[in-house]
Amino acid sequence: GPRGAMVMLVRIVNREETSMAFALHPELVPVIARRMAAGPPPPPAERGDWRRLRADGEAGLAAVEAELPQFADVGRREFTATSHDGARVPLRWYTPPQSGETQSGETPEQPGPAVVHLHGGGMILGSVQLFDRTVAGYVAESRVPMLAVDYRRAPEHPHPAPVEDCWAGLAWLAEHAAELGVDPARIAVMGDSAGGGLAAGTALLARERGVELARQILVYPMLDDRNTRPDPVLAPYTGWNWDYNHTAWHALLGDAVGAPDVPCAAAPARADDLTGLPTTYIEVGELDIFRDESLDYARRLTAAGVSTELHLHPGCPHGFDRLAPAADIVRRSRADRIRTLRSL
């Protein structure tokens, strides 16, 4: 998260690592440095301390979100879906200005696309509210409506609750497509970090349950529970590190982490068969601990005959877009996401 990135930059600026194979993107250094001006970041949460990780992560998300425009002209409506165990899952439906429903409540004559958005947060933190302006910004710029799912989080609600809640949101949108002016053949799933993993897991459930998605949009997705051993080359740059990843996956899966029978809906990298999945967009930073699992997933998707667009951003750590939204590298990344959304 943002605070972890500050710790990362402190190490780099102080030259604690002298033989680096990679370098932080030069556009990111001054932006992140300005974030450090308020004072040194707190020490990182220890492995297994999900409460501290949640508190620090949500404080960082709230600070970043507060810097974004409110997008007050984007429509927001609250709904609920029912999950696999009867739990009620809050949903927030975002519509572009002057589109979606008319003032009279009538839907457009021609149905259009929609996206199920799943927020990030390592499966253990985050909420629809903490990503409200982020999602509204996507909707305002792309003019594609989005349904944000406030899925339950681990460890209070371990697998399968989070991904089943996401599936419930997708099923709800498909069921209510006509009244919302949505073409059910043009529904996509999208998420970043843990939300990207949940989007990939939801796409696997959709394939299994006979729902055809138009696309999956995976932004530095969290896909593989086995990724808990540090890479010393990447270590100086990590905001979301391997201790955090260990904490997050154990919160979701308990002692099953790393075992051979982890279900692919929980960790999509475990899927043996990727055929029949929707057209895919994947992006990840070169300095992200999710880099290799994202690249491998893209490779396996194309090998399975799934059309896949892949972006590897040089010099970018996890969450680079939220750290420095004005940097050119971030603007290019966002333009690719908006182009992908508009193509629906």
Side-chain angles (χ1 to χ4, degrees):
R3 297 189 181 195
M6 293 181 192
V7 174
M8 165 196 74
L9 190 63
V10 168
R11 294 175 185 158
I12 294 169
V13 170
N14 291 339
R15 300 186 181 276
E16 294 176 11
E17 301 291 336
T18 59
S19 58
M20 300 181 187
F22 296 110
L24 191 68
H25 197 287
E27 295 173 2
L28 302 182
V29 173
V31 180
I32 300 174
R34 285 196 295 271
R35 292 184 178 275
M36 294 170 52
E46 295 183 1
R47 178 173 285 214
D49 189 352
W50 63 266
R51 291 179 178 86
R52 168 73 181 283
L53 186 54
R54 178 181 288 175
D56 287 352
E58 292 195 341
L61 287 172
V64 171
E65 189 78 0
E67 297 177 356
L68 300 177
Q70 293 186 20
F71 298 102
D73 55 349
V74 170
R76 294 163 169 88
R77 295 178 61 193
E78 309 296 329
F79 297 99
T80 56
T82 303
S83 195
H84 71 298
D85 56 359
R88 303 293 287 169
V89 181
L91 311 172
R92 184 170 294 174
W93 175 242
Y94 294 81
T95 50
Q98 306 296 323
S99 66
E101 293 188 345
T102 63
Q103 292 184 354
S104 65
E106 298 174 354
T107 56
E109 292 183 6
Q110 297 296 325
V115 175
V116 175
H117 185 274
L118 308 173
H119 68 78
M123 309 289 180
I124 60 174
L125 63 95
S127 65
V128 165
Q129 186 58 39
L130 282 171
F131 282 75
D132 177 76
R133 298 182 184 186
T134 296
V135 175
Y138 282 135
V139 172
E141 193 168 349
S142 71
R143 304 199 66 79
V144 174
M146 289 190 171
L147 183 74
V149 181
D150 224 348
Y151 58 86
R152 290 171 290 173
R153 308 168 305 180
E156 299 94 331
H157 303 284
H159 179 76
V163 73
E164 286 289 357
D165 289 359
C166 297
W167 162 259
L170 170 61
W172 183 93
L173 180 57
E175 181 182 351
H176 294 83
E179 64 194 77
L180 296 174
V182 172
D183 180 350
R186 297 165 67 188
I187 295 175
V189 290
M190 176 181 184
D192 66 278
S193 195
L198 288 166
T202 301
L204 289 165
L205 288 180
R207 182 188 63 176
E208 174 187 319
R209 296 170 182 180
V211 172
E212 188 170 347
L213 290 171
R215 190 154 302 175
Q216 57 177 346
I217 302 169
L218 313 179
V219 177
Y220 38 79
M222 179 180 176
L223 300 168
D224 197 339
D225 63 295
R226 297 163 293 191
N227 183 13
T228 56
R229 298 182 63 183
D231 177 347
V233 175
L234 290 183
Y237 304 97
T238 54
W240 182 264
N241 62 36
W242 292 271
D243 283 344
Y244 295 173
N245 219 36
H246 178 279
T247 300
W249 281 112
H250 278 79
L252 185 72
L253 298 172
D255 294 337
V257 171
D261 57 349
V262 169
C264 63
R270 299 300 200 108
D272 294 326
D273 178 14
L274 300 183
T275 59
L277 288 172
T279 298
T280 302
Y281 172 97
I282 298 180
E283 68 167 89
V284 67
E286 181 181 60
L287 307 180
D288 195 324
I289 76 165
F290 298 149
R291 179 196 63 201
D292 291 350
E293 62 199 69
S294 298
L295 296 179
D296 187 58
Y297 204 64
R299 179 191 61 78
R300 293 179 56 222
L301 283 164
T302 56
V306 177
S307 180
T308 301
E309 177 177 345
L310 171 66
H311 295 268
L312 177 64
H313 298 297
C316 290
H318 191 70
F320 69 97
D321 52 328
R322 295 181 69 82
L323 294 169
D328 285 346
I329 184 68
V330 175
R331 292 178 184 273
R332 293 193 294 273
S333 166
R334 185 175 183 84
D336 284 327
R337 298 178 200 175
I338 297 301
R339 171 181 50 80
T340 301
L341 290 169
R342 288 174 177 170
S343 71
L344 293 170

